[in-house]
Amino acid sequence: MTRRIFIAGNWKMNLTLSASLELAEGLKKAAAGISNADIAVCPPAVYVQAVAAVLKGTAVGVGAQNVYFEKEGAFTGEISANMLKDIGCRYVILGHSERRNILGESSEQVNLKVKAALAAGLVPIVCVGELLKEREAGTTEDVVRRQFDGSFSGIAAKEMENCVIAYEPVWAIGTGKVATPEQAEEVHAAIRKMIEKNYSKEVAEKVRIQYGGSVNDKNAAEILAKPNVDGALVGGASLKVEPFLGILKSA
Ligand code: 13P
């Protein structure tokens, strides 16, 4: 079973409109020659539509960084999955550790968002990962299993196949302290076992598991070479064309 490599950029709360468009134009040019991987960028919600317009018809998909789980109505400040779909999104990042830890998002909420995203035809990129103290306490797999079980509760096998999981150890995010390829592979293999246990070996073989946390053009090749690492969710290094392309090239 060969899973297609999937590299996604999470721009987080960065860039201006003009910088977003410039980056999108750069990627549009550069990505024309890349066919060995799926590529996506996830700009801040206010820039998604403009970036999607630039990247329309290219190999670079566009995603959002969050969604609200209700369809429509009196939810001031929120954005629905149908709205994201409507403006050209294909993906949505859900349960990022910054949302879990800074904004108090629970796996139950992530689960509602996964369901809303799938219902709207979006591909959820669901993030899981342990804090440094949890790794040091030897509870990494328990933490990830709780997040996995909670986030995918009630998701059917056919839907699960469409989901992407991003393993992002919190201690590696934005710290320059990337997990070793062995550390990443160990957790990725454990996640694949969780999918197998809850679904089947067939489903487990299909789901792509990205690694995220200080990935750059220098360390990507080693991590992506691991059998259970199917791509990367890239923060800082996705904000400029060259390093992001470098990651794509090492895929
Ligand atoms: P960095 O690549 O900046 O460490 O961020 C990783 C991340 O959180 C991607 O979602």
Side-chain angles (χ1 to χ4, degrees), residues 10 12 96 98 168 172-174 212-215 233-236:
N10 174 7
K12 307 194 179 185
H96 191 280
E98 285 145 21
E168 298 207 319
I173 295 177
S214 297
V215 174
L233 184 55
V234 185

Side-chain angles (χ1 to χ4, degrees), residues 6 8-10 42 93 96 125 127 166 168 210-213 215 231-235:
F6 178 24
N10 174 7
C42 301
I93 298 171
H96 191 280
I125 301 174
C127 304
E168 298 207 319
Q210 298 173 317
Y211 168 80
V215 174
L233 184 55
V234 185

